């Protein structure tokens, strides 16, 4: 057994649901409901992120302790703590969905260390009052995807919830993976996630829907005090300052997603972290061939609401829903509108600044912006691989753009899916010629430019087919591929020769392979 530095947190600050049963229900005027994780006869530890364990003060010895498995599979309750599920509502795919809540997530406790305060949460450990029609469980495949991707995102420098460990339940869970009327049993799993908080936009929306201003205020004050040190907690302006900061963090986050080629896939307001972290890895995906219209989510295939290129606009739409929710405590629509207008303006500025850094340019002017726009179009039409294109670009100090140049050819061949037409090649040559001029205008030594570019443009990301290959192996009880990807993704910006088979375009077989291109929400 080991000791954790348990702190009072959300449950101590917010009102509990008075009903103590586990019955599924509508919960009124409460932020959470106490509930217990399900009993599993034979849970087993599949993988631990030792980096995440350190965040809550646990070393390697602790993670090997049998108590680690007992505690983080929910089979033992840590002394003096009481697990609970959080209430929240949300807008799903643009429509008000009413009460949702933690249907299969259970918060165990909060721990404080030198690394901050962490809420420890199990996902897939059984039903709660918010489970509605579903079972409260999770399958191994989606849990592997979340475990690998949360840790990979952290190492990419993208704000995210963390994944402490992945646990098998030794029980089967029935899922209709393709939503085609063929449910089948699959291995079940529990993921143990860490985050300073799991409060979402939807946590505010539920109180607004209930016209419960008292709790809305309480939640905002708790959130500001605990997670927004930059907001002065004792001023009249605090709610507006808070909203402004949420807007800034949210747009920063989606800009980061665009930098690394990540598509969240389900940007419903219940999946939007109030602190600006990537939250809830469902049918997310990574861009292979650059396509701003791509979404990994089969449920969204028709309308493509959550496609790669419009994630910032959707974030803004979600911020409007948050503004509506908190308006009763602010009462100043013009001030909220002003923040939203400025946020909309900032989307473009943040985007072009990020793209300029990807191109190794230290300045932005009209010419740079035009070059970024034309690059997007060229990549889209040429089916350029996002990761390989930008990473390869960083290896050239000065690109030789003459048509016979081997550097140009190498870049083209390594990064494109298919061959460009002569017309496209000419367009690319023009683009490179312009780019070279911009590089000269930048006037930084090549090695410095390369350094920036290599810290902005990852060499290794968790492409969909890679996660799917790890899942296929795991379903044969072989977790070695999962471990290999986990290790590699700890250093996404470094050249790692032993992993270079992963620095490659998506193989053809993966284009239409289940799980390797698009995914359903089934998890
Ligand atoms: P998601 O799309 O995964 O963010 O989930 C949306 C809502 O459905 C949340 O309230 C989840 O807690 C709930 N939910 C998803 N899967 C399950 C499940 N297997 N059992 C209970 N609730 C679930
Ligand atoms: Mg969710």
């Amino acid at each position: 057994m080991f000791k954790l530095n348990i702190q009072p947190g959300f449950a101590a600050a917010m009102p509990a649901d008075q009903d103590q049963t586990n019955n599924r229900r509508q919960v009124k005027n409460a932020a959470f409901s106490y509930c217990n994780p399900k009993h599993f006869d034979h849970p087993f530890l599949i993988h631990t992120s030792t980096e995440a364990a350190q965040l809550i003060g646990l070393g390697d010895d602790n993670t090997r302790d049998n108590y680690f498995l007992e505690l983080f599979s929910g089979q033992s309750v840590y002394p003096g703590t009481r697990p609970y599920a959080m209430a929240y509502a949300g807008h799903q795919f643009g429509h008000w969905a009413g009460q949702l809540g933690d249907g299969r997530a259970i918060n165990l406790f909060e721990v404080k260390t030198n690394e901050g305060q962490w809420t420890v949460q199990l996902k897939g450990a059984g039903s709660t009052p918010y489970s509605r029609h579903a079972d409260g469980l999770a399958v191994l495949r989606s849990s592997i995807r979340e475990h690998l991707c949360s840790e990979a995102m952290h190492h990419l420098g993208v704000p995210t919830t963390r994944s402490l460990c992945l646990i098998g339940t030794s029980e089967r869970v029935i899922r209709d993976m393709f939503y085609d009327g063929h449910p089948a049993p699959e291995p079940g799993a529990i993921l143990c996630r860490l985050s300073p908080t799991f409060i979402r936009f939807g946590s505010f929306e539920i109180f607004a829907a209930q016209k419960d201003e008292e709790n809305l205020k309480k939640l905002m004050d708790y959130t500001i005090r605990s997670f927004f040190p930059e907001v002065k907690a004792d001023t009249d302006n605090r709610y507006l300052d808070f909203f402004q900061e949420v807007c800034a963090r949210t747009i920063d986050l989606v800009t980061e997603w665009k930098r690394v080629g990540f598509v969240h896939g389900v940007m419903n307001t219940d999946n939007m972290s109030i602190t600006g972290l990537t939250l809830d890895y469902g049918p997310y995906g990574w861009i292979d061939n650059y396509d701003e219209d791509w979404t990994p989510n089969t449920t969204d295939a028709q309308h493509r609401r959550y496609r790669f290129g419009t994630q910032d606009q959707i974030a803004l739409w979600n911020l409007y829903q948050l503004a509506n929710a908190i308006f009763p405590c602010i009462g100043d629509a013009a001030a909220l509108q002003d923040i939203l207008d400025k946020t909309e303006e900032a989307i473009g500025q943040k985007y072009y600044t990020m793209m300029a850094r990807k191109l190794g340019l230290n300045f932005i002017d009209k010419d740079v912006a035009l070059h970024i726009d034309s690059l997007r179009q060229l990549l889209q039409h040429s089916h350029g691989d996002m990761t390989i294109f930008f990473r390869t670009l960083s290896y050239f100090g000065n690109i030789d753009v003459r048509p016979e140049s081997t550097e140009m050819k190498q870049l083209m061949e390594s990064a494109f899916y298919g061959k460009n037409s002569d017309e496209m090649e000419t367009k690319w040559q023009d683009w490179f010629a312009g780019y070279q001029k911009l590089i000269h205008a930048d006037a930084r030594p090549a090695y410095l430019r390369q350094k920036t570019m290599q810290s902005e443009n990852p060499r290794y990301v968790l492409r969909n087919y890679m996660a799917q290959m790890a899942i296929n192996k795991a379903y044969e009880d072989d977790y070695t591929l999962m471990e290999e990807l986990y290790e590699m993704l700890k250093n996404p910006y470094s050249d790692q020769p032993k992993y270079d088979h992963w620095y490659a375009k998506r193989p053809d077989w993966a284009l239409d392979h289940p799980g390797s291109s698009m995914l359903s929400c089934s998890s």
Side-chain angles (χ1 to χ4, degrees):
M1 207 174 147
F2 44 76
K3 283 220 169 349
L4 293 163
N5 185 23
I6 303 289
Q7 291 288 312
F10 184 77
M14 295 300 299
D17 175 12
Q18 294 306 303
D19 184 342
Q20 307 268 321
T21 68
N22 204 36
N23 299 338
R24 290 149 197 231
R25 57 181 175 268
Q26 290 291 306
V27 173
K28 287 261 151 49
N29 309 114
F32 66 93
S33 308
Y34 288 113
C35 59
N36 289 316
K38 175 175 149 61
H39 170 78
F40 293 98
D41 282 336
H42 302 293
F44 63 100
L45 189 60
I46 296 174
H47 190 259
T48 303
S49 162
T50 50
E51 295 79 18
Q54 282 164 12
L55 297 175
I56 55 167
L58 298 180
D60 287 356
D61 286 354
N62 303 131
T63 63
R64 281 191 286 265
D65 191 326
N66 199 44
Y67 186 58
F68 183 87
L69 171 62
E70 247 178 61
L71 189 61
F72 297 116
S73 62
Q75 306 312 291
S76 280
V77 173
Y78 193 85
T81 67
R82 204 168 166 198
Y84 62 93
M86 292 165 78
Y88 53 82
H91 279 82
Q92 298 188 312
F93 297 96
H95 303 283
W96 174 242
Q99 177 183 303
L100 298 165
D102 284 335
R104 57 161 168 187
I106 297 178
N107 289 358
L108 294 181
F109 42 70
E110 273 120 310
V111 178
K112 192 168 188 173
T113 66
N114 290 338
E115 305 286 340
Q117 183 143 340
W118 299 93
T119 303
V120 179
Q121 181 184 83
L122 305 184
K123 186 167 172 181
S127 69
T128 76
Y130 307 94
S131 295
R132 295 177 290 156
H133 51 275
D135 56 13
L137 303 173
V139 290
L140 180 59
R141 76 183 138 75
S142 62
S143 308
I144 290 178
R145 283 169 48 82
E146 176 150 7
H147 182 61
L148 282 179
C149 201
S150 338
E151 293 304 285
M153 288 288 259
H154 164 71
H155 294 296
L156 281 164
V158 181
T160 178
T161 60
R162 301 293 299 272
S163 181
L164 174 65
C165 61
L166 176 64
I167 288 166
T169 61
S170 306
E171 290 186 13
R172 302 265 140 181
V173 175
I174 309 284
R175 287 288 180 272
D176 185 359
M177 185 162 121
F178 301 112
Y179 289 159
D180 63 355
H182 293 94
E186 292 186 54
I190 299 171
L191 192 76
C192 182
R193 315 196 281 191
L194 307 179
S195 178
T197 178
F198 288 95
I199 297 173
R200 305 133 191 270
F201 289 15
S203 312
F204 298 86
E205 288 181 281
I206 195 164
F207 288 137
Q210 295 171 0
K211 306 205 180 329
D212 183 349
E213 265 182 55
E214 187 188 333
N215 278 320
L216 194 54
K217 275 201 170 116
K218 209 177 246 180
L219 181 62
M220 271 202 282
D221 283 324
Y222 168 73
T223 308
I224 292 168
R225 247 187 358 259
S226 311
F227 312 110
F228 286 78
E230 56 280 78
V231 174
K232 284 211 186 78
D234 49 3
T235 65
D236 289 346
N237 230 23
R238 65 188 184 281
Y239 297 149
L240 279 174
D241 292 348
F242 160 68
F243 182 62
Q244 183 158 12
E245 184 57 26
V246 174
C247 288
R249 290 193 199 179
T250 304
I251 299 305
D252 285 346
L253 176 68
V254 290
T255 307
E256 280 291 273
W257 290 351
K258 286 191 162 185
R259 174 175 69 83
V260 297
F262 176 79
V263 193
H264 184 286
V266 205
M267 290 176 69
N268 295 333
T269 54
D270 53 301
N271 289 338
M272 298 294 293
S273 148
I274 199 69
T275 50
L277 303 175
T278 312
L279 170 66
D280 275 7
Y281 292 84
Y284 68 82
W286 292 82
I287 293 288
D288 295 314
N289 55 298
Y290 187 86
D291 181 0
E292 298 195 357
D293 293 328
W294 186 71
T295 174
N297 186 348
T298 51
T299 313
D300 194 26
Q302 199 186 350
H303 301 295
R304 294 179 186 260
R305 179 179 175 82
Y306 298 141
R307 59 191 187 268
F308 176 62
T310 50
Q311 296 186 103
D312 37 26
Q313 294 306 321
I314 292 294
L316 185 65
W317 191 90
N318 289 338
L319 288 164
Y320 268 87
Q321 309 319 309
L322 180 63
N324 283 332
I326 63 175
F327 169 73
C329 300
I330 296 173
D332 185 348
L336 284 167
Q337 185 64 54
D338 187 47
I339 294 173
L340 287 162
D341 290 344
K342 292 201 169 99
T343 302
E344 190 167 4
E345 275 169 43
I347 289 175
Q349 289 153 12
K350 288 180 181 188
Y351 176 75
Y352 285 105
T353 306
M354 175 279 286
M355 286 297 281
R357 287 182 63 82
K358 273 179 90 66
L359 291 174
L361 299 170
N362 225 359
F363 68 102
I364 304 229
D365 61 11
K366 217 168 133 218
D367 220 15
V368 172
L370 282 172
H371 261 77
I372 290 169
D373 289 339
S374 57
L375 176 61
R376 286 163 62 188
Q377 282 173 14
L378 286 172
L379 280 173
Q380 178 101 16
H381 287 122
S382 298
H383 307 288
D385 186 275
M386 171 149 182
T387 305
I388 296 178
F389 178 86
F390 282 102
R391 186 72 183 187
T392 310
L393 203 56
S394 76
Y395 292 108
F396 294 101
N398 253 332
I399 296 164
D400 177 358
V401 292
R402 283 167 298 138
E404 67 276 22
S405 138
T406 51
E407 284 159 315
M408 263 279 286
K409 280 211 173 67
Q410 194 188 334
L411 181 72
M412 293 292 201
E413 278 162 21
S414 68
F416 294 145
Y417 294 86
K419 200 174 157 16
N420 276 314
S421 63
D422 290 348
E423 190 195 340
M424 281 308 287
E425 287 220 14
T426 311
K427 284 189 177 167
W428 274 109
Q429 281 159 19
D430 290 348
W431 187 85
F432 275 110
Y435 179 49
Q436 196 165 32
K437 280 195 197 129
L438 293 175
I439 284 177
H440 284 310
D442 189 69
R444 256 181 321 164
Y447 79 93
L448 276 183
R449 185 170 52 251
Q450 192 166 57
K451 211 168 146 199
T452 313
M453 290 176 81
Q454 296 198 351
S455 62
E456 299 288 336
N457 299 309
R459 189 172 168 89
Y460 310 99
V461 294
L462 183 63
R463 293 174 191 263
N464 312 313
Y465 83 92
M466 292 159 60
Q468 189 56 41
M469 283 172 74
I471 290 164
N472 292 346
K473 283 265 181 236
Y475 276 39
E476 298 162 7
D477 289 327
D478 176 353
Y479 300 103
T480 51
L481 189 49
M482 194 190 88
E483 282 160 18
E484 177 176 328
L485 294 178
Y486 170 82
E487 289 300 325
M488 174 182 78
L489 293 166
K490 277 193 212 173
N491 294 297
Y493 299 104
S494 308
D495 289 350
Q496 302 180 69
K498 72 173 167 175
Y499 295 129
D500 261 3
H501 47 291
W502 297 118
Y503 180 58
K505 279 180 282 198
R506 172 200 59 226
D508 290 343
W509 63 260
L511 193 54
D512 299 313
H513 199 268
S516 301
S517 49
M518 289 179 84
L519 297 105
S520 74
C521 287
S522 155
S523 57

